[in-house]
């Protein structure tokens, strides 16, 4: 880690860092809960109001720049983060516990997102369909929506804020950003990189604080025009209602219960690897798109299960900074408790615990929130472990007779974010793409992992389905589009 640079901490409002608040947030390392990563100032409602005022004040001037000029700040921010990629990857690991490989991937994605939207900025206007009249020019013009409230979770603590703020900024909006309280330090680093890139004061304002206080103020404040939220369904549903009641444009991306279907033609080794990568490695199942249900046709069930269990039991759980670890800890004590509760529920509901199921203790695990990778078989579709988002390395395996039953089971949940099928049958692949009720559909890929030029978002309780994130489509959320008709009279 760099020793010269002091870490940004606290709130960032109107171009000033504020550290003298009454309360602070103590960010701890989930692989060693005695280790304090940082103590950062904690904002409250009045700080959020100050942040909104600063963002509103900065908005006209920011909107008056060309999209090219706004994009150049993103390129500069990307280059600053690139210079610190290793240091910031380690900070992500220390603050939320994903493995160093996954953290490094998240940092690269952050850099790529900034550069992508900097380039999208060059082409971020409307379009110009030809008019029916010879003397008329018709075109559409995008204009910023205003001041955006950005509320984010801890599991992708730098990439998610980036994929929200980058399109918001190039579209000419200013931002009030509230990070998750588990990961305020890495979020502050992102804001600091924007500051160092010379972003004008007030364009991004940053207020770490509690959801019920700062989050609620951002959701309901009269001067916030637009709210983008990523997190759980329970909170997102509330944010959606509260912001909509105030007449705001709102977009919420929420939880998932993502399946992989394995059919009778599948390459079983590939199916097992897709399950392992989607459900266990890197983030310990803490991705919204994580594979949490494996729906297996009976003709390949035994073969799949034998190989899966062998592979799960070969995973190395340990220090996430150690490159040989496949899985680190859960990100918090609450997350660990949640997993252990669901493991008990699975047993009580009659599923068979095939492997895992325990907290890891002793030696290197002693002070961390480690849980064994866990697989349940004999899971029925209506069991809670097959229906509810666990957000941990706990996989429910369901056996089905055929493809039709597999699709029925896959769609029998309230969530609809991502889904995968492992098959060598083109008919099943095509049917799956058509039948599955999710926003992201993968054939012979993990349910996790998306490309930034593609639209991102779920269906059902995974999303408000108001607007997509990522890709060029992200601009739709952050802009008004005017239809312009110009007729010349001579
Ligand atoms: P969470 O819902 O607990 O918190 C998300 C954010 O909302 C945090 O910043 C939190 O402080 C804030 N918040 C809490 N109460 C609030 C309130 N009353 N008003 C306004 N804001 C409030 O989620 P989490 O535990 O941080 O993240 C895990 C969840 O996020 C999982 O359900 C996961 O599936 C989901 N997630 C979804 C996506 C996606 O794109 N679909 C991506 C990542 C994570």
């Amino acid at each position: 880690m760099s020793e010269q640079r002091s870490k940004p901490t606290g709130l960032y409002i109107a171009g000033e860092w504020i550290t003298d608040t009454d309360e602070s947030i103590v960010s701890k390392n989930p692989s060693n809960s005695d280790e304090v990563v940082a103590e950062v100032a904690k904002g409250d409602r009045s700080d959020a109001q100050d942040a909104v005022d600063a963002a509103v004040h900065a908005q006209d001037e920011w909107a008056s720049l060309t999209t090219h000029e706004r994009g150049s700040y993103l390129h500069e921010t990307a280059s600053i983060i690139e210079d610190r990629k290793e240091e910031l990857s380690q900070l992500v690991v220390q603050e939320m516990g994903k493995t160093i490989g996954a953290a490094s991937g998240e940092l690269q994605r952050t850099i790529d997102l900034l550069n992508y939207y900097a380039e999208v900025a060059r082409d971020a206007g409307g379009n110009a369909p030809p008019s029916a009249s010879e003397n008329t020019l018709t075109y559409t013009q995008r204009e910023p929506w205003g001041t955006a409230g950005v509320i984010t979770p801890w599991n992708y603590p730098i990439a998610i804020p980036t994929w929200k703020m980058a399109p918001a900024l190039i579209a000419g909006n200013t931002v009030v950003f509230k990070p998750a309280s588990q990961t305020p330090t890495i979020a502050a680093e992102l804001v600091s990189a924007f500051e160092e890139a010379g972003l004008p004061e007030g364009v991004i304002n940053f207020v770490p604080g509690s959801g019920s206080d700062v989050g609620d103020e951002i959701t309901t404040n009269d001067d916030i025009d637009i709210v983008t939220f990523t997190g759980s369904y329970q909170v997102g549903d509330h944010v959606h209602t509260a912001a909509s009641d105030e007449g705001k444009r709102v977009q919420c991306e929420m939880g998932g219960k993502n399946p992989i279907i394995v059919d009778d033609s599948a390459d079983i080794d590939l199916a097992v690897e897709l399950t392992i990568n989607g459900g266990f490695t890197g983030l310990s199942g803490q991705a919204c798109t994580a594979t949490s249900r494996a729906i297996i046709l009976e003709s390949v069930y035994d073969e799949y299960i034998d190989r899966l269990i062998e592979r799960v039991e070969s995973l190395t759980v340990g220090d996430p900074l150690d490159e040989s670890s496949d899985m680190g800890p859960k990100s918090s004590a609450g997350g660990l408790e949640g997993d252990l509760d669901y493991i008990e529920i699975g047993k009580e509901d009659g599923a068979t615990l095939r492997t895992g199921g325990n907290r890891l203790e002793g030696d290197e695990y002693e002070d961390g929130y480690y849980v064994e990778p866990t697989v349940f078989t004999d899971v029925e579709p209506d069991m809670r472990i097959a229906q509810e988002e666990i957000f941990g390395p706990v996989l429910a395996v369901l056996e089905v007779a055929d493809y039709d039953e597999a699709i029925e089971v896959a769609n029998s949940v309230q969530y609809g974010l991502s889904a995968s099928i492992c098959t060598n049958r083109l008919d099943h692949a095509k049917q799956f793409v058509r039948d599955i009720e999710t926003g992201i559909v993968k054939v012979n890929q993990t349910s996790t992992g998306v490309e930034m030029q593609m639209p991102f978002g779920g269906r059902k309780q995974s999303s408000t389905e108001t607007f997509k994130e990522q890709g060029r489509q992200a601009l739709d959320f952050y802009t008004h589009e005017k239809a312009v008709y110009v007729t010349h009279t001579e």
Side-chain angles (χ1 to χ4, degrees), residues 78-97:
S79 135
I80 290 164
I81 292 177
E82 191 151 28
D83 287 345
R84 294 186 192 142
K85 185 179 168 194
E86 201 181 324
E87 171 197 346
L88 297 183
S89 301
Q90 289 177 1
L91 182 58
V92 168
V93 176
Q94 287 171 318
E95 205 159 46
M96 70 71 64

Side-chain angles (χ1 to χ4, degrees), residues 28-30 95-97 154 182 286 329-336 369:
K28 290 191 172 172
N29 184 338
E95 205 159 46
M96 70 71 64
W154 47 263
Q182 265 167 262
Q286 300 168 110
K330 290 302 302 276
S331 75
S332 67
L336 173 66
Y369 307 126

Side-chain angles (χ1 to χ4, degrees), residues 318-373:
D319 178 0
L321 281 171
D322 182 338
E323 282 179 10
S324 66
S325 296
D326 297 309
M327 281 173 49
K330 290 302 302 276
S331 75
S332 67
L336 173 66
E337 285 308 313
D339 288 3
L340 296 174
D341 285 351
Y342 270 112
I343 288 165
E344 285 311 308
I345 289 167
K347 289 194 265 188
E348 281 163 21
D349 285 352
T352 303
L353 179 62
R354 281 295 293 264
T355 188
N358 300 300
R359 178 177 188 170
L360 284 157
E361 285 166 319
D363 300 334
E364 63 172 317
Y365 303 124
E366 203 49 47
D367 299 313
Y369 307 126
Y370 291 93
V371 63
E372 290 176 326

